Amino acid sequence: MYAEADRLLARLNVKHSSKTPLGELSLGEQQMVEIAKALSFESKVIIMDEPTDALTDTETESLFSVINELREQGCGIVYISHRLKEIFEICDDITVLRDGKFIGQRTVAETDEDLLIEMMVGRKLDEQYPRIDAVHGKTSLEVKNLSGPGVDDVSFTLDQGEILGISGLMGAGRTELMKIIYGARKRESGSVILNGKTINPTSPQDGLANGIAYISEDRKGDGLVLGLSVKENMSLCALEQLSKGAQIQHSEEVIAVEDFIKLFNIKTPSRDQIIGNLSGGNQQKVAIAKG
């Protein structure tokens, strides 16, 4: 059993033994193990629902290599993705859904990116990513020589009105850096200055108290309580603001939740729907609203 599992993992370029506890693997590696599990059934049809969501470019190349092998062996693949580049790279036919309704089907050969976007959103987009000139304000966040588990001597500044991008491969320390700033991981050295004041959050509660919200890449593991409703998840971090004494002001909670459902266009039957029943995209919208 272990020999076959190791063979499948090697096929996907996963360097760990099949005996390694899954919790010790990164999110991307866990995703590759899930893909290996699907391959172990030797199925004739495999449905892959956003399989590269947490994968590095190298891991994605390994997955695509396996997909091409499976196609040559006569296996059918249903590949679900929001990444248009992947659709044109790996797929033969395209089916577009919008709000749960069938919009159209085409071959990749007769489709370009502009047409695909038009089918997805229901209208033409003249500019996909228009340049917006933003006026920077004062420095709101300054990180100096920050170090901790997985992070070594990181410094940067963030101005009011600025969007700062943090990039890197899986394991580069992006998530660890943000969790240290938020207080979810231990800081070993360095300083965090927020609006001119040095802060030292040692827990997520401290981070929230200082006005820092963290939206995790792993919404199921870190971001949401899947057994609770949309309303309960969305208001979870704001219960103090929505309460008087020990009593939650439910009318105010409902108003705030309904406003966010409209603002983020969250597709849910009601605010009381169990969030685990929502699609991944709508779960992520709730996670952002909660933050």
Side-chain angles (χ1 to χ4, degrees):
M1 180 177 69
Y2 286 116
E4 176 63 15
D6 285 329
R7 184 187 69 80
L8 286 170
L9 292 175
R11 190 177 176 189
L12 290 164
N13 286 325
V14 177
K15 306 303 182 185
H16 296 277
S17 163
S18 59
K19 297 180 182 180
T20 304
L22 197 63
E24 296 180 7
L25 275 58
S26 69
L27 191 61
E29 291 168 336
Q30 291 178 15
Q31 182 83 323
M32 294 299 270
V33 171
E34 188 172 0
I35 293 167
K37 181 181 72 173
L39 297 179
S40 70
F41 292 107
E42 299 183 356
S43 305
K44 296 301 181 182
V45 175
I46 298 177
I47 300 173
M48 296 188 176
D49 190 354
E50 299 189 55
T52 61
D53 197 34
L55 302 186
T56 66
D57 289 344
T58 301
E59 290 168 337
T60 299
E61 289 176 8
S62 298
L63 173 61
F64 284 1
S65 177
V66 170
I67 288 176
N68 285 323
E69 288 180 24
L70 292 170
R71 175 165 49 191
E72 292 173 3
Q73 295 168 10
C75 182
I77 307 289
V78 179
Y79 190 90
I80 301 169
S81 179
H82 290 96
R83 299 180 178 180
L84 301 190
K85 177 184 175 183
E86 294 180 355
I87 298 298
F88 288 99
E89 184 175 349
I90 200 67
C91 297
D92 301 302
D93 299 284
I94 301 171
T95 297
V96 176
L97 302 178
R98 186 171 68 245
D99 295 334
K101 297 179 181 179
F102 173 81
I103 301 300
Q105 183 172 355
R106 291 176 174 270
T107 65
V108 169
E110 66 178 2
T111 310
D112 59 25
E113 190 170 302
D114 289 339
L115 177 58
L116 185 55
I117 292 173
E118 184 179 343
M119 293 173 68
M120 290 169 62
V121 302
R123 59 184 174 83
K124 289 186 177 181
L125 293 183
D126 296 328
E127 278 192 283
Q128 293 184 39
Y129 302 105
R131 177 67 183 178
I132 299 176
D133 293 323
V135 178
H136 291 196
K138 298 179 180 179
T139 296
S140 60
L141 178 67
E142 186 173 4
V143 173
K144 293 183 178 180
N145 310 111
L146 196 65
S147 295
V151 176
D152 182 33
D153 196 24
V154 174
S155 300
F156 65 84
T157 59
L158 175 68
D159 293 341
Q160 296 173 357
E162 179 183 20
I163 299 174
L164 173 67
I166 305 289
S167 65
L169 299 177
M170 281 286 178
R174 302 165 304 170
T175 299
E176 290 80 1
L177 172 62
M178 294 302 117
K179 285 190 172 182
I180 291 172
I181 294 172
Y182 179 58
R185 290 176 72 95
K186 182 180 179 181
R187 183 200 316 178
E188 295 174 351
S189 62
S191 58
V192 176
I193 303 169
L194 182 64
N195 294 325
K197 177 185 176 183
T198 298
I199 62 173
N200 183 30
T202 57
S203 68
Q205 185 177 8
D206 287 346
L208 287 170
N210 281 289
I212 301 174
Y214 173 72
I215 300 169
S216 172
E217 63 179 343
D218 182 9
R219 63 177 177 269
K220 293 184 178 180
D222 290 337
L224 300 169
V225 183
L226 298 181
L228 296 183
S229 68
V230 170
K231 180 188 73 175
E232 290 166 327
N233 271 277
M234 202 177 288
S235 62
L236 198 58
C237 293
L239 292 180
E240 185 176 347
Q241 290 76 23
L242 295 170
S243 300
K244 288 184 179 179
Q247 181 67 42
I248 298 174
Q249 302 300 297
H250 292 289
S251 59
E252 294 182 15
E253 180 187 24
V254 168
I255 292 172
V257 168
E258 289 290 350
D259 285 345
F260 276 115
I261 288 175
K262 292 178 182 178
L263 177 64
F264 287 96
N265 194 25
I266 297 170
K267 304 296 183 182
T268 178
S270 77
R271 60 179 178 268
D272 297 315
Q273 174 68 269
I274 298 299
I275 198 166
N277 295 334
L278 269 58
S279 69
N282 284 295
Q283 287 181 9
Q284 187 70 3
K285 289 180 182 180
V286 174
I288 294 170
K290 177 170 74 73

